[in-house]
């Protein structure tokens, strides 16, 4: 499309030349052949340069490129790129042939249109319209030259909308307050020797001993002078955990489905201080009553309170589990996101008095903790691994790693595809905008050269460089605006068929990305602004250059 638009403008500029050559007997076939050979030569030169540049980029950025696919393959990275990887003859020949074919087609149609004009029309093709007529009718008068660029703008407008939509949703979800503070917070990962392992100790495998060993590990971490707070929780009960537990909860006959965390209130642990979870009413860290576990109390988030009781003032109310037992709501927390890329959902925190009597508790529980402010983290981690880790090998339990909450979040973003999705969408948007930029630069560069007499006439009548530049920018703005408006029905049809990107199940309507009309308008405005900025930037350079031409030079016959 870019080549067709530029070829149309180029043919319009060469109408006088074509008319003279036809006067001297040149046939249409001869002229078309020359145009095709010119375009083929440019294609070969441009393709060779593009191939060399692509090799240079791949060779210099191979490490970064390979990291894009870490989440999708288990194959080890290749330390170098072989010739077979860089050059596939079949792919090269197919790509080169397709490029040549498309370029020949893009040159053939504008050439045929130009040569269909008669000799007199070609020799007198320069318009002598007045300044106001040029401004009012320019787009219509050059509709054929603008056609290719207009079609490209319509396609790119639709494509850009579909690319920006998931970027908007993911970015909006990431911007929502997660309801916790990952700063200085850690998860302690422990494993357990099974019967097949050489270090397995059968005498340490009873449920009671495993419970006591978990408490012992908890005390070891608690006694670290750098530790501010800690929480013994289940393996699915911390932010961005790979696991997820949920259940149904009732208020009389009203039922909601919610995720739940399980926390063991032992040894002075406090899950709210460790995670930085706040009271919905006061905005301060939620306080944990000492008798919470004894009273079988629970804590719920704002959204769950709204769905279950119709209000966030739910302290003192009772929640019923599937087992028909009732539990008192002892606090309402600010909305909370278990996964960083998701929206806040229902969450219930169940406070237990002791580790469960299950034979699998070695896989069920883990310890999280938070450091005191101003603790030097590298120094702490070094001391912890040197002095504390050897003591953590208790019974059949053994230490595997210490994970920062921030690192756990980054790992989840990579493994779940959040990072790669954003990279892909940004790359697609960048490619589409680059096509628009090059199309606008090429088309308006050639068009400004073709309209030198118009510019000279305007300058001789007193028009300033700013007036001329603004006229061309106004043409670009109208072209982009009309093309974007034409693309909107296609976009709405696409939304009607497949919906918005990354829809959230039971999404909270308070967020704009969950309001269909607001969502559509925001993405449309973003796509339009980005497209318009790129189009105006692509128009500005050639227009500014053309506006500097002296009137006498511009009005001289070419």
């Amino acid at each position: 499309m870019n080549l067709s638009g530029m070829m149309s403008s180029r043919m319009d500029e060469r109408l006088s030349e074509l008319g003279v050559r036809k006067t001297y007997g040149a046939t249409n076939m001869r002229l078309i052949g020359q145009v095709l050979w010119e375009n083929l030569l440019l294609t070969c030169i441009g393709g060779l340069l593009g191939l060399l540049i692509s090799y240079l980029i791949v060779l210099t950025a191979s490490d970064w490129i390979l990291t894009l696919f870490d989440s999708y393959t288990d194959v080890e990275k290749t330390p170098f790129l072989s010739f077979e990887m860089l050059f596939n003859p079949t792919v090269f020949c197919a790509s080169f042939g397709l490029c040549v074919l498309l370029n020949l087609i893009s040159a053939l149609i504008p050439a045929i249109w130009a040569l269909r004009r008669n000799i007199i029309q070609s020799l007198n093709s320069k318009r002598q319209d007045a300044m106001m007529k040029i401004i009012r009718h320019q787009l219509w008068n050059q509709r054929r030259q603008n056609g290719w660029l207009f079609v490209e703008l319509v396609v790119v407008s639709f494509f850009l909308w579909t690319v920006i939509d998931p970027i908007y949703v993911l970015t909006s979800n990431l911007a929502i307050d997660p309801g916790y503070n990952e700063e200085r917070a850690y998860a302690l990962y422990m494993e357990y020797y099974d019967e097949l392992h050489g270090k397995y100790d059968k005498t340490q495998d009873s449920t009671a001993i495993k419970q006591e060993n978990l408490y012992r590990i908890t005390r070891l971490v608690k006694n670290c002078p750098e530790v501010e707070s800690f929480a013994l929780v289940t393996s699915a009960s911390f932010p961005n955990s790979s696991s997820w537990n949920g259940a149904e909860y009732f208020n009389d006959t009203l039922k909601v489905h919610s995720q739940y965390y399980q926390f063991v209130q032992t040894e002075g642990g406090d899950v709210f201080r460790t995670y930085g979870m706040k009271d919905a009413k006061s905005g301060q860290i939620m306080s944990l009553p000492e008798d919470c576990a004894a009273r079988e109390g629970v804590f719920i988030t704002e959204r769950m309170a709204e769905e279950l009781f119709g209000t966030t003032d739910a302290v003192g109310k009772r929640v019923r589990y599937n087992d028909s037992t009732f539990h008192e709501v002892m606090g309402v927390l600010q909305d909370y996101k278990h996964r960083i890329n998701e929206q806040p959902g229902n969450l219930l925190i169940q406070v237990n008095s002791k580790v469960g009597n299950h034979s699998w508790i070695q896989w069920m529980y883990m310890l999280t903790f938070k450091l005191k402010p101003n603790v030097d983290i590298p120094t702490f981690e070094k001391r912890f691994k040197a002095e504390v880790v050897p003591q953590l090998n208790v019974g059949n339990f053994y230490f595997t790693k210490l994970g920062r909450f921030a690192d756990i979040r980054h790992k989840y973003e990579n493994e779940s595809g959040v990072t790669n999705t954003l990279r892909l969408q940004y790359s697609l948007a960048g490619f589409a905008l680059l096509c628009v930029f090059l199309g606008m630069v090429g088309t308006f560069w050639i068009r400004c050269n073709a309209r030198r007499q118009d510019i000279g006439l305007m300058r001789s009548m007193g028009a300033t460089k700013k007036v001329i530049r603004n006229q061309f920018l106004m043409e670009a703005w109208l072209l982009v605006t009309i093309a974007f408006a034409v693309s909107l029905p296609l976009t709405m049809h696409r939304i009607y068929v497949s919906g918005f990107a990354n829809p959230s199940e039971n999404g909270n309507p308070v967020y704009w990305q969950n309001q269909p009309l607001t969502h559509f308008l925001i993405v449309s405005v973003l796509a339009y602004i980005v497209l318009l900025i790129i189009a105006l930037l692509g128009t500005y350079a050639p227009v500014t250059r053309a506006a500097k031409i002296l009137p006498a030079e511009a009005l001289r016959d070419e």
Side-chain angles (χ1 to χ4, degrees), residues 378-503:
T379 302
F380 162 75
E381 292 180 352
K382 183 178 180 180
R383 190 194 74 80
F384 187 87
K385 292 177 181 179
E387 301 178 11
V388 181
V389 167
Q391 304 177 56
L392 295 177
N393 297 324
V394 178
N396 289 318
F397 288 96
Y398 64 95
F399 170 84
T400 56
K401 68 176 180 177
L402 188 64
R404 300 180 187 178
F405 273 22
D407 294 336
I408 295 172
R409 171 175 55 82
H410 289 312
K411 180 181 178 182
Y412 171 76
E413 289 175 338
N414 290 328
E415 292 181 347
S416 64
V418 175
T419 302
N420 285 338
T421 298
L422 287 174
R423 286 177 178 175
L424 175 62
Q425 298 301 324
Y426 283 130
S427 299
L428 292 175
F431 176 74
L433 294 176
L434 178 62
C435 291
V436 171
F437 179 78
L438 294 177
M440 298 297 285
V441 169
T443 300
F444 275 87
W445 195 285
I446 297 175
R447 183 177 298 174
C448 289
N449 288 334
R451 293 172 59 184
R452 288 162 61 92
Q453 288 186 352
D454 294 341
I455 295 172
L457 179 62
M458 295 169 64
R459 291 292 305 277
S460 64
M461 295 176 64
T464 63
K465 298 177 183 179
K466 182 178 180 181
V467 171
I468 296 173
R469 182 173 62 247
N470 289 344
Q471 175 189 327
F472 280 87
L473 292 177
M474 182 66 70
E475 291 180 20
W477 171 76
L478 287 174
L479 199 60
V480 169
T481 302
I482 296 172
F484 191 83
V486 170
S487 73
L488 286 181
L490 301 175
T491 304
M492 289 187 286
H493 177 72
R494 182 258 182 192
I495 295 172
Y496 176 78
V497 172
S498 58
F500 292 103
N502 303 325

Side-chain angles (χ1 to χ4, degrees), residues 101-115:
L101 178 62
L102 293 177
N103 277 277
L104 291 178
I105 294 175
S106 66
L108 180 62
I109 298 176
I112 293 176
W113 282 348
L115 292 171

Side-chain angles (χ1 to χ4, degrees), residues 319-338:
V319 175
R320 178 169 62 87
Y321 289 88
N322 285 330
D323 57 7
S324 298
T325 59
F326 289 88
H327 299 269
E328 180 184 356
V329 176
M330 306 193 73
V332 177
L333 299 160
Q334 292 182 353
D335 282 337
Y336 176 88
K337 296 196 300 182
H338 178 63

Side-chain angles (χ1 to χ4, degrees), residues 13 65-66 95 121 172 193 310 322 440 500 503 507-508 540 550:
E13 183 183 4
I65 294 173
L66 291 173
S95 302
Q121 183 182 8
S172 299
Y193 295 126
N322 285 330
M440 298 297 285
F500 292 103
N508 192 337
Y540 183 84
L550 296 175

Side-chain angles (χ1 to χ4, degrees), residues 120-336:
I120 301 300
Q121 183 182 8
S122 298
L123 291 173
N124 296 280
S125 60
K126 301 294 184 180
R127 292 183 302 275
Q128 302 296 328
D129 298 333
M131 174 180 171
M132 293 307 298
K133 278 191 175 183
I134 295 175
I135 296 175
R136 190 170 56 251
H137 299 296
Q138 190 62 46
L139 289 177
W140 178 254
N141 290 341
Q142 292 193 343
R143 57 189 179 277
R144 180 171 294 175
Q145 293 85 346
N146 291 331
W148 295 103
L149 187 59
F150 179 81
V151 172
E152 180 183 6
L153 287 171
V154 171
V155 173
V156 170
S157 298
F158 174 80
F159 180 73
L160 192 61
W161 201 103
T162 62
V163 168
I164 289 180
D165 186 25
I167 293 177
Y168 165 70
V169 174
L170 284 174
T171 305
S172 299
N173 290 346
L174 291 173
I176 299 174
D177 184 2
Y180 65 89
N181 183 4
E182 66 182 23
E183 185 179 359
R184 310 188 321 276
Y186 287 84
L188 183 68
Y189 288 87
M190 305 290 294
E191 289 291 344
Y192 193 83
Y193 295 126
D194 57 23
E195 297 177 355
L196 301 178
H197 199 281
K199 294 184 179 181
Y200 171 74
D201 187 350
K202 187 176 181 179
T203 62
Q204 298 289 317
D205 200 34
S206 67
T207 300
I209 292 179
K210 285 188 287 188
Q211 289 175 326
E212 179 56 36
N213 287 339
L214 280 173
Y215 294 143
R216 181 178 172 185
I217 293 171
T218 302
R219 287 191 293 270
L220 286 170
V221 174
K222 170 188 174 181
N223 293 331
C224 291
E226 300 93 340
V227 173
E228 178 183 82
S229 61
F230 65 94
L232 182 60
V233 297
T234 57
S235 58
S237 301
F238 64 94
N240 298 296
S241 166
S242 58
S243 303
W244 192 96
N245 290 330
E248 292 179 341
Y249 301 93
F250 297 84
N251 172 27
D252 196 9
T253 58
L254 184 62
K255 177 181 69 174
V256 299
H257 191 80
S258 173
Q259 181 183 9
Y260 67 83
Y261 279 6
Q262 290 179 297
F263 158 65
V264 181
Q265 189 177 10
T266 182
E267 302 290 342
D270 190 332
V271 69
F272 304 121
R273 289 178 61 199
T274 303
Y275 294 178
M277 302 176 77
K278 297 180 180 179
D279 187 299
K281 189 173 183 179
S282 67
Q284 302 299 317
I285 299 297
M286 176 65 72
S287 60
L288 179 66
E290 294 183 1
D291 61 346
C292 182
R295 293 164 58 184
E296 297 184 331
V298 296
F299 295 80
I300 61 177
T301 56
E302 292 177 277
R303 182 175 178 183
M304 185 174 179
E306 286 281 359
E307 292 187 9
L308 205 55
F309 303 108
T311 177
T312 58
D313 188 14
V315 177
K317 299 182 183 294
R318 296 197 303 170
V319 175
R320 178 169 62 87
Y321 289 88
N322 285 330
D323 57 7
S324 298
T325 59
F326 289 88
H327 299 269
E328 180 184 356
V329 176
M330 306 193 73
V332 177
L333 299 160
Q334 292 182 353
D335 282 337
Y336 176 88

